Amino acid sequence: MTVDSRFDDRECAAGADVAAVLDPQALARLRELDPDGQSKLLARVAQAFATSVARLLPQMKTAFEAGDLAAIRHVAHTLKSSSASIGAVKLSQLCADIEAMSRDGRVEGLADAIASFRSEVVSVQSALKQILDNPS
């Protein structure tokens, strides 16, 4: 597998519409768990997600470069549920798709799926930043 600009770190979705990226109902459920915001639950969940992404994106890149489908599957699986928990439904689905492709040994289309995954990660990070910078 060849690596190309799909793994650069440019922000490709700055200013993404939060509601288009993060499910408002999932965010509402998180806010209900900390109604007065004293525990800063949403900020802690967002930080945990950011920490996971910072650790796992380089692993995805390395695994893709090496053609290591098991490692690709592991990264996708790991981010699938954490994405769903913050309401990043599209990202969670992309992770599920990449997980299935790598499990089944389907490399055709994998580069494009990972590129979409990377782009969506940036959108999710941008949306989380907007929420944390402008709490409502």
Side-chain angles (χ1 to χ4, degrees):
M1 293 181 220
T2 59
V3 176
D4 54 28
S5 63
R6 297 167 214 230
F7 275 104
D8 67 16
D9 289 325
R10 290 175 295 164
E11 291 215 3
C12 55
D17 178 29
V18 172
V21 178
L22 300 174
D23 176 31
Q25 291 178 341
L27 293 174
R29 284 190 297 274
L30 284 172
R31 287 186 175 114
E32 286 171 8
L33 296 171
D34 183 22
D36 59 5
Q38 262 189 319
S39 296
K40 299 186 185 331
L41 179 64
L42 187 56
R44 290 191 345 238
V45 169
Q47 183 57 49
F49 178 79
T51 300
S52 289
V53 165
R55 180 176 50 84
L56 293 169
L57 276 183
Q59 289 179 23
M60 178 68 87
K61 180 179 180 182
T62 301
F64 182 74
E65 289 172 342
D68 185 346
L69 295 178
I72 291 170
R73 183 175 63 246
H74 170 73
V75 170
H77 178 78
T78 302
L79 282 175
K80 180 176 63 177
S81 60
S82 62
S83 298
S85 72
I86 60 166
V89 178
K90 181 178 177 183
L91 180 58
S92 183
Q93 184 58 55
L94 286 166
C95 289
D97 294 346
I98 292 168
E99 183 181 17
M101 291 173 79
S102 58
R103 181 182 52 246
D104 298 341
R106 291 182 283 136
V107 295
E108 187 175 329
L110 187 58
D112 289 336
I114 291 175
S116 295
F117 157 83
R118 175 68 180 106
S119 177
E120 191 63 15
V121 165
V122 174
S123 295
V124 169
Q125 290 173 315
S126 176
L128 286 171
K129 183 177 180 343
Q130 286 180 51
I131 288 171
L132 296 176
D133 289 349
N134 304 300
S136 51

